[in-house]
Amino acid sequence: MRKITGILCMMIVLSATAVFGQRIEGKMAVTGFPRDGVIKEVVPVDLFKSFKEGKYKVSFSYKADGMGSRGIVLFDLKTTVKRDGKTIHTSTRKGWPWLPGDLFLPGDIFVPIEAFDVIPALQKHVGDVPLSSLHDPKAERPLPIGKYEIMLEMVPVATWVGDRERELVPDGKIGPASIVFVVK
């Protein structure tokens, strides 16, 4: 009887490991912003240009266990923008696939700022640009004076894992990255 109980316990432990073994850990970071938070790019398109030229960078890395041989995970990319503590924008882009990166070499995956809705949110805050106009003075207006806080999140979601022939949602989360800057 003890052998049967022992075998049953072992089977439960092994099956629980197989079912609950999908684990993810990682981090995001935004680099390049000055310590005092005051930036020169007060027009959203200039901020975008600084990201494209590498002055500011969003880096991301993660490790996924139990997510198949390649470790690909789908993420929902969430953007929250606040001005003076008040939320002015929230959005989510769903189902972006990413390959794992090395947790000990931060920045090996650079996430383009376009993956998040930061620049469009800031531009909308400046003013709506008519679609019929190729050049509109609103497109070059500065952001209103204030303190801006931007939260970037990558949330792991159900991902098809071919090795297991089913969808899995990894346990764990990626710490969000934040950007804080001041427009004077």
Side-chain angles (χ1 to χ4, degrees):
M1 187 65 160
R2 285 186 182 171
K3 286 184 180 183
I4 293 174
T5 305
I7 291 172
L8 286 175
C9 287
M10 184 61 86
M11 288 175 54
I12 290 170
V13 168
L14 290 175
S15 64
T17 302
V19 171
F20 299 111
Q22 301 78 41
R23 183 100 187 110
I24 189 167
E25 64 177 292
K27 60 185 175 182
M28 290 182 62
V30 179
T31 58
F33 281 84
R35 290 189 191 270
D36 65 0
V38 178
I39 61 171
K40 295 177 183 175
E41 304 88 345
V42 296
V43 176
V45 73
D46 293 337
L47 184 61
F48 174 72
K49 183 179 177 189
S50 290
F51 271 99
K52 294 308 287 177
E53 291 174 346
K55 180 177 180 181
Y56 308 127
K57 296 178 184 177
V58 179
S59 61
F60 168 60
S61 60
Y62 76 92
K63 179 182 177 191
D65 293 326
M67 294 301 293
S69 59
R70 293 183 57 188
I72 297 171
V73 176
L74 295 179
F75 291 90
D76 286 352
L77 281 60
K78 294 185 176 185
T79 306
T80 303
V81 180
K82 295 180 180 183
R83 178 175 160 242
D84 295 329
K86 180 182 175 191
T87 300
I88 60 172
H89 174 86
T90 58
S91 63
T92 301
R93 291 185 170 194
K94 296 186 176 288
W96 283 60
W98 293 89
L99 289 166
D102 188 339
L103 293 174
F104 301 106
L105 297 173
D108 74 315
I109 300 174
F110 289 105
V111 180
I113 195 63
E114 304 94 306
F116 296 95
D117 290 327
V118 174
I119 305 304
L122 292 173
Q123 185 61 47
K124 183 155 180 62
H125 190 61
V126 167
D128 293 326
V129 179
L131 294 174
S132 61
S133 174
L134 292 177
H135 180 71
D136 188 310
K138 290 181 185 177
E140 296 189 27
R141 283 188 4 207
L143 287 164
I145 293 171
K147 179 181 179 183
Y148 291 81
E149 301 169 65
I150 301 168
M151 180 74 65
L152 307 176
E153 299 174 81
M154 295 184 80
V155 180
V157 296
T159 303
W160 177 260
V161 179
D163 298 358
R164 301 223 180 152
E165 296 186 9
R166 62 186 169 126
E167 273 191 342
L168 300 173
V169 179
D171 185 32
K173 68 182 236 178
I174 308 298
S178 63
I179 302 169
V180 178
F181 62 90
V182 177
V183 175
K184 292 186 174 185

